[in-house]
Amino acid sequence: MKIVILERNSVGTDVSVDCIRDFGDVDIYDNTVTIGQIRERVKDADIVIANKSPMNRETLEGAGRVKLICEFATGYDNCDLEYCNSRGIKVANVRDYCTAMVAQHTFTLALALSQKLVHYDTYVKSGAYSAQERFSNFDLPFCELAGKTWGIVGMGNIGRRVADIARAFGCRVIFHSITGRSTCREYPQVDKDTLLRESDFLSLHCPLSSLSRNFIDKPALQRMKKTAVLVNVARGAVVDNQALYEALEAGEIAAAGLDVVEKEPLGTDNPLSRCKDSSRLIITPHLAWASVEARTRCVQEAYKNIEAFLRGEERNVVKG
């Protein structure tokens, strides 16, 4: 059995992947960037473990032995499922391994923005607080979560965890299902216009698809409250980055917290890179999922997917 790990560093060098050696010979590459590298590295593989590397006809056509692609991730948009199905190649992802961390990061961003934490930390460290006479400073107004409306797009495992935490803070929770197929009954489901119009905080937890791409665009941002805070921990392309930059500059919404952007890493051609005001915009480098615990679970779950496959069982196999 030949196994190839194309992007070992995607789970962090502090987390071991040695358990995968239980199944056979393993070739491990820190990162795989080019199409040529992918083709060469998978050509003799039986199982490929990937994250962002494209898995399609162009990269797999010469890899006649591949029978399983394991994702070191929940997302599988790097895989051409139609092509993989035509070849009889199974694609298995990792599910619910980072739910707690992504939900936690959602509130880290929302609270940091709504409470202007960067501004006040800078105020103290600059010496301005030490130089003033009064005991307190609150020159930038901030608000409570209690009594606010928290809107959610994507009521899967992460969305539900966020909803429960928001309710614990005293928020009214509403959600919108892009596909219209949500089975959630614990919280009211609303149409897009109602979601945008009523949400004080709006967090995105949906997969990227033709339905969700640019879900938050210029018209959507214009329909949101001027006091609203947007949080995107889903996929970068769910939000039109140019439109978001313009909305922030024009004061159409109050603030945005992003863990994902349209093209990663963030390029200087992305207008959001020009916004240096952390009271209006905080961007983290796609790390919402990446606690030590979550990355360890990611490897363990991929291990279980391979183990099940070798027993002739389907575990976390994505249906195209």
Side-chain angles (χ1 to χ4, degrees), residues 2 60 74 84 95 118 126 135 145 148 160 166 187 189 203-204 213 248 265 281-282 300 304:
K2 173 74 173 292
L60 296 173
T74 300
C84 289
R95 303 174 189 178
V118 175
S126 71
F135 77 95
L145 266 64
K148 301 299 188 296
R160 289 176 191 239
Y187 301 98
Q189 184 173 174
S203 59
L204 309 177
R213 187 177 295 275
L248 289 169
L281 177 67
I282 293 177
Q300 291 170 343
K304 293 175 184 177

Side-chain angles (χ1 to χ4, degrees), residues 186-254:
E186 296 94 329
Y187 301 98
Q189 184 173 174
V190 300
D191 59 31
K192 183 177 180 179
D193 187 64
T194 301
L195 178 88
L196 296 170
R197 187 178 66 251
E198 296 188 3
S199 295
D200 297 295
F201 294 84
L202 177 57
S203 59
L204 309 177
H205 309 285
C206 54
L208 180 62
S209 69
S210 58
L211 294 175
S212 65
R213 187 177 295 275
N214 288 334
F215 180 81
I216 301 296
D217 56 9
K218 187 177 182 68
L221 289 158
Q222 290 173 337
R223 298 207 297 276
M224 293 175 66
K225 295 181 179 182
K226 290 186 181 298
T227 54
V229 175
L230 174 70
V231 176
N232 186 12
V233 291
R235 287 289 185 267
V238 175
V239 176
D240 181 328
N241 286 191
Q242 177 68 41
L244 176 58
Y245 172 75
E246 293 171 2
L248 289 169
E249 290 296 300
E252 290 176 349
I253 66 170

Side-chain angles (χ1 to χ4, degrees), residues 102-121 140-146 148 150 162 165-166 168-171 200-203 228-233 255-258 278-282:
V102 177
Q104 179 178 314
H105 196 68
T106 299
F107 285 91
T108 298
L109 291 171
L111 291 169
L113 288 163
S114 64
Q115 294 179 213
K116 314 298 183 187
L117 289 187
V118 175
H119 167 78
Y120 287 114
D121 180 62
L140 281 186
F142 50 92
C143 66
E144 300 175 357
L145 266 64
K148 301 299 188 296
W150 190 291
V162 168
I165 297 171
F169 269 110
C171 293
D200 297 295
F201 294 84
L202 177 57
S203 59
V229 175
L230 174 70
V231 176
N232 186 12
V233 291
L258 311 176
S278 296
S279 293
R280 290 188 297 146
L281 177 67
I282 293 177

Side-chain angles (χ1 to χ4, degrees), residues 241-277:
N241 286 191
Q242 177 68 41
L244 176 58
Y245 172 75
E246 293 171 2
L248 289 169
E249 290 296 300
E252 290 176 349
I253 66 170
L258 311 176
D259 187 54
V260 287
V261 292
E262 285 179 337
K263 183 181 177 182
E264 297 171 346
L266 178 71
T268 55
D269 57 336
N270 188 320
L272 292 172
S273 68
R274 301 199 293 269
C275 182
K276 308 300 183 184
D277 182 359

Side-chain angles (χ1 to χ4, degrees), residues 288-300:
W289 63 280
S291 65
V292 174
E293 296 89 345
R295 289 183 286 114
T296 299
R297 284 192 294 269
C298 183
V299 174
Q300 291 170 343

Side-chain angles (χ1 to χ4, degrees), residues 55-57 60-61 66-67 80-91 320:
M55 296 283 101
N56 52 34
R57 182 183 299 276
L60 296 173
E61 196 166 29
V66 174
K67 293 300 178 188
D80 182 340
L81 292 181
E82 184 177 354
Y83 175 72
C84 289
N85 288 340
S86 74
R87 284 270 309 272
I89 300 172
K90 304 289 187 184
V91 176

Side-chain angles (χ1 to χ4, degrees), residues 31-51:
N31 200 21
T32 301
V33 179
T34 68
I35 297 299
Q37 285 178 331
I38 299 171
R39 285 166 138 173
E40 179 63 26
R41 292 172 180 180
V42 304
K43 66 181 181 181
D44 298 321
D46 298 290
I47 296 173
V48 177
I49 300 177
N51 186 305

